[in-house]
Amino acid sequence: MMAPEQAPAPAGASRCRVQTWQAGAVSTQQDTLAEELPVALEFNGVSHAVMLATPLDLEDFALGFVLSEGIVDSVQEVFDIQQESGCDGITVKLEIASARFARLKEMRRNLTGRTGCGLCGTESLAHAVRPLPPLPHPGVVHEAAIRRALTELRQHQTLQQLTGATHAAAWCGDDGSIRVVREDVGRHNALDKLIGAVLKSRPAALDGFVVVTSRASMEMVQKTVTAGFGCLVAISAPTRLATELAQAAGLCLIGFARPERWVAYSHAERIRAAAPDSSCD
C-alpha cells in the first residue's frame, strides 16, 4: 500500500525530516519550519535595504517599513508596489513620491539587516533615535480589553502554532477583539507588516491598541508612535530608552503582559479598570 501523500506545507513554511529523541526512544518524523528569506526593498529603482523575513504579506511589510521608518509620511505617497522573485530571494519594488525619495537619499542609510535588527547600517547616532511627534489624541484602554486580546491572540498565530518560530503583531479593538494579525520570524518585520496592513485600509481612526509577542525595544516604540497607535502591549520587557520615548510621545506602554498580570511603564493613567456600562444614560 502506498503511503498517504504528505499535505503541502502552509504558506510561509516548509517541511523537513527530523530525528526525535524522547525518553531513550528515537523516531523519524516530519517537522514544519518557518521560512526565512532575504527580502530586498527597492525604492524608485534604487536598492535600500535587505532584511531577512518570512515571505508572507510582503506588500504589507514594505508599506509598513516605509511608513514606520519615516521614509514617507502617508500611504498616498506610495504609488506602486511590485514583487520579483529570484534565486537569491525576493525584491519588493516601491515607487514613492519624488520629494520623499530625495529625502531618503539624504538619510544616507544602507540597512543591510538581519532578523531582530532594526538599526543595522545606520550611519550616524542622530539617525538611530529620531524625534517622535507627540501622539495627537491618545485614547484610553480598558483592562478587560487587554485581558481579552492576550487570551485570544494565540489562536490567531497560525504560523507560530505550526513552527514555534514566529512573532506576531496584532491590532486590537477597544473591546480587545483581534482585528488584524501579521506574523514573521522578526519582531520588527511583524510590526511593519501589521502597520502596512492597517494603514493601507485607511481607517478613520487608529483606536484600540497593538499587542506584540516580543520585547518592547526603542525601535518598536518608534514604529508604533510613527504609525499613530496610542498603546503598545508587549509580552516581554521594555528597555529604558523605549520607556523614555513612550513617555515623551504619549504612548501607553505595557510590558510583561499576561491576561492575569502586566506592568504599565508609561501613561498608566490611560488604563481604565472597567469599561463603562453602555446601558447607562
Side-chain angles (χ1 to χ4, degrees), residues 29 51 53 58 89 102-103 123 131 143 150 153 172 178 189 194 196 200-201 218 232 254 257 263:
Q29 301 175 355
M51 311 295 286
L58 292 183
R103 184 173 70 183
E123 294 181 352
E143 55 92 12
L150 292 170
L153 178 58
C172 309
I178 307 294
N189 300 343
L194 177 73
K200 77 179 180 183
S201 67
M218 175 271 292
L232 176 62
I254 295 172
V263 181

Side-chain angles (χ1 to χ4, degrees), residues 51-74:
M51 311 295 286
L52 289 174
T54 301
L56 285 174
D57 307 306
L58 292 183
E59 288 192 13
D60 292 343
F61 171 51
L63 182 59
F65 182 88
V66 295
L67 289 164
S68 70
E69 291 293 320
I71 295 171
V72 300
D73 296 332
S74 69

Side-chain angles (χ1 to χ4, degrees), residues 6-23:
Q6 178 71 32
S14 61
R15 301 198 193 281
C16 72
R17 190 170 295 277
V18 298
Q19 189 179 75
T20 300
W21 293 62
Q22 183 174 357

Side-chain angles (χ1 to χ4, degrees), residues 79-216:
F79 303 138
D80 189 41
I81 304 178
Q82 300 288 334
Q83 292 185 47
E84 184 178 291
S85 297
C87 297
D88 298 327
I90 300 173
T91 300
V92 185
K93 302 181 177 184
L94 295 89
E95 189 70 25
I96 64 175
S98 57
R100 299 298 167 245
F101 183 61
R103 184 173 70 183
L104 173 64
K105 289 192 292 185
E106 291 179 3
M107 292 179 182
R108 297 183 306 155
R109 293 164 73 105
N110 182 20
L111 301 174
T112 302
R114 59 183 184 271
T115 300
C117 181
L119 295 174
C120 300
T122 300
E123 294 181 352
S124 72
L125 294 176
H127 286 156
V129 186
R130 64 180 186 272
L132 295 175
L135 289 162
H137 304 292
V140 301
V141 58
H142 298 288
E143 55 92 12
I146 298 173
R147 282 204 313 271
R148 177 181 176 183
L150 292 170
T151 300
E152 296 181 2
L153 178 58
R154 181 170 176 78
Q155 69 191 58
H156 294 270
Q157 295 177 249
T158 305
L159 201 55
Q160 168 67 8
Q161 291 183 36
L162 290 170
T163 68
T166 58
H167 284 293
W171 180 34
C172 309
D174 286 333
D175 61 353
S177 59
I178 307 294
R179 290 175 170 172
V180 183
V181 176
R182 289 295 182 266
E183 294 184 272
D184 197 278
V185 291
R187 57 195 174 91
H188 301 102
N189 300 343
L191 183 54
D192 278 335
K193 287 180 178 181
L194 177 73
I195 291 170
V198 173
L199 295 188
K200 77 179 180 183
S201 67
R202 301 182 186 181
L206 290 178
D207 56 350
F209 53 97
V210 171
V211 176
V212 294
T213 61
S214 66
R215 68 184 184 274

Side-chain angles (χ1 to χ4, degrees), residues 45 173 225:
V225 172

Side-chain angles (χ1 to χ4, degrees), residues 129 132 187 215-225 232 234 236-254 265-267:
V129 186
L132 295 175
R187 57 195 174 91
R215 68 184 184 274
S217 61
M218 175 271 292
E219 310 99 298
M220 302 291 276
V221 166
Q222 280 187 334
K223 289 177 181 292
T224 303
V225 172
L232 176 62
S236 296
T239 64
R240 179 186 63 81
L241 182 54
T243 300
E244 291 176 352
L245 288 175
Q247 182 65 40
L251 178 73
C252 178
L253 179 60
I254 295 172
Y265 288 88
S266 65
H267 295 283

